């Protein structure tokens, strides 16, 4: 069964450094999302992406964040200058048609900012 | 923004018991979702509900979309050890945006 994959599974970085989290959505999916989950808390929406542009973003997704689909398979989340409070699990999700289509989540990348 | 209140926060039950958890919203959703998250993994969709009053089953799981569109419950019957995990309710609102809003989760513990 096709699934969303994410790399790395765990990323440790120093405060102020840039990180890029990578996702490979399911191959025929067209809508892509990033969510984050701070340890012990709920999953929070960050951004949705369709047709090479951001559809919607939350207040968490400030100027330090950016997303990109650099090729036909990868979908990346970049944090330009990490802060301690960016430490969280970051989940990528994708759907084929958006709207009420089921969003399939990847296994997540655990980001630890020291 | 929209808030989801999920209860209880955690549950300790005996294997074989039935479980019930619910979610309420400050405003209307047009889709209710229930996800399960195992440690170190992403949320996995259990049940999706699209119409007010809808009652849907998936094996031992049953969920309902409340008539008011502001609540939903999930029941698990005859719990087994692999049911352990965190259960999240989630919803999509009436606008066109398709982002999912999650509740804080119910952590289910099963005693042998």
């Amino acid at each position: 069964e096709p699934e969303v994959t994410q790399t790395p599974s765990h990323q440790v970085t120093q405060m102020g450094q840039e990180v890029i989290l990578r996702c490979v959505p399911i191959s025929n999916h067209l809508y892509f999302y990033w969510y984050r989950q701070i340890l012990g808390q709920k999953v929070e929406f960050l951004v949705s992406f369709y047709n090479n542009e951001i559809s919607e973003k939350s207040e968490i997704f400030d100027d330090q964040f950016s997303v990109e689909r650099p090729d036909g398979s990868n979908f990346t989340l970049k944090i330009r200058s990490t802060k301690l409070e960016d430490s969280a699990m970051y989940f990528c999700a994708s759907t084929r048609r958006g709207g009420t289509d089921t969003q399939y989540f990847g296994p997540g990348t655990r980001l630890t900012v020291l | 923004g929209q808030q989801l209140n999920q209860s209880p926060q955690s549950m300790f039950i005996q294997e074989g018991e039935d479980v019930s958890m619910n979610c309420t919203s400050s405003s209307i959703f047009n889709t209710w979702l229930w996800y399960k998250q195992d440690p170190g993994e992403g949320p996995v969709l259990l049940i999706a509900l699209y119409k007010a009053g809808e009652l849907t089953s998936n094996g031992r799981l049953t969920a309902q979309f409340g008539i008011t569109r502001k609540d939903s419950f999930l029941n698990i019957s005859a719990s087994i050890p692999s049911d352990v995990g965190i259960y999240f309710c989630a919803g999509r609102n009436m606008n066109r945006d398709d982002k999912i809003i999650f509740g804080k989760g119910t952590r289910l513990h099963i005693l042998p």
Side-chain angles (χ1 to χ4, degrees), chain A residues 9-70:
Chain A
S9 56
H10 191 187
Q11 172 94 44
V12 181
T13 190
Q14 295 286 335
M15 190 169 60
Q17 294 294 306
E18 175 183 286
V19 294
I20 297 177
L21 310 183
R22 290 184 166 78
C23 169
V24 179
I26 294 173
S27 64
N28 63 349
H29 284 190
L30 302 174
Y31 295 77
F32 315 113
Y33 310 84
W34 283 101
Y35 292 82
R36 81 167 186 195
Q37 183 181 32
I38 294 172
L39 184 65
Q41 298 188 24
K42 66 180 179 181
V43 178
E44 299 173 290
F45 170 78
L46 291 178
V47 65
S48 57
F49 189 88
Y50 169 70
N51 201 27
N52 280 320
E53 58 184 33
I54 291 173
S55 308
E56 186 185 1
K57 57 185 181 180
S58 72
E59 60 273 13
I60 302 168
F61 194 90
D62 61 22
D63 291 344
Q64 293 300 313
F65 290 87
S66 62
V67 289
E68 194 178 31
R69 188 148 162 84

Side-chain angles (χ1 to χ4, degrees), chain B residues 4-7 22-24 32-35 72 87-91 100-106:
Chain B
L4 278 181
N5 296 307
Q6 187 172 351
S7 63
N22 66 73
C23 226
T24 58
W32 279 95
L33 308 161
W34 285 92
Y35 284 85
S72 177
Y87 292 80
F88 290 100
C89 66
I100 295 174
I101 298 168
F102 283 82
K104 292 186 177 180
T106 294

Side-chain angles (χ1 to χ4, degrees), chain A residues 55-105:
Chain A
S55 308
E56 186 185 1
K57 57 185 181 180
S58 72
E59 60 273 13
I60 302 168
F61 194 90
D62 61 22
D63 291 344
Q64 293 300 313
F65 290 87
S66 62
V67 289
E68 194 178 31
R69 188 148 162 84
D71 53 45
S73 59
N74 289 282
F75 178 50
T76 62
L77 174 69
K78 183 194 290 187
I79 308 175
R80 238 177 300 278
S81 176
T82 50
K83 305 187 286 284
L84 295 177
E85 53 266 37
D86 293 328
S87 295
M89 284 289 287
Y90 287 82
F91 294 106
C92 172
S94 71
T95 82
R96 181 156 157 66
R97 291 175 301 215
T100 58
D101 242 23
T102 299
Q103 291 184 19
Y104 293 88
F105 283 76

Side-chain angles (χ1 to χ4, degrees), chain B residues 39-57:
Chain B
E41 297 186 18
V44 174
L45 183 66
L46 300 173
I47 293 180
L49 303 158
Y50 300 106
K51 287 193 288 194
E54 180 181 351
L55 183 72
T56 296
S57 292

Side-chain angles (χ1 to χ4, degrees), chain B:
Chain B
Q2 275 184 298
Q3 298 285 334
L4 278 181
N5 296 307
Q6 187 172 351
S7 63
Q9 279 190 324
S10 65
M11 304 181 73
F12 289 81
I13 62 168
Q14 297 283 343
E15 183 178 345
E17 283 186 10
D18 297 343
V19 173
S20 185
M21 56 192 82
N22 66 73
C23 226
T24 58
S25 168
S26 56
S27 54
I28 288 170
F29 280 116
N30 65 350
T31 304
W32 279 95
L33 308 161
W34 285 92
Y35 284 85
K36 180 177 183 243
Q37 186 179 29
D38 291 327
E41 297 186 18
V44 174
L45 183 66
L46 300 173
I47 293 180
L49 303 158
Y50 300 106
K51 287 193 288 194
E54 180 181 351
L55 183 72
T56 296
S57 292
N58 177 8
R60 293 177 296 106
L61 277 59
T62 302
Q64 184 157 32
F65 192 143
I67 291 290
T68 65
R69 295 181 176 267
K70 292 184 178 182
D71 62 301
S72 177
F73 72 75
L74 174 72
N75 287 341
I76 306 173
S77 63
S79 57
I80 59 177
S82 61
D83 290 336
V84 165
I86 303 176
Y87 292 80
F88 290 100
C89 66
R92 287 194 177 107
N93 62 24
M94 295 296 285
N95 300 327
R96 64 141 300 278
D97 61 70
D98 49 1
K99 68 173 184 274
I100 295 174
I101 298 168
F102 283 82
K104 292 186 177 180
T106 294
R107 185 179 290 275
L108 181 63
H109 306 265
I110 297 181
L111 306 170

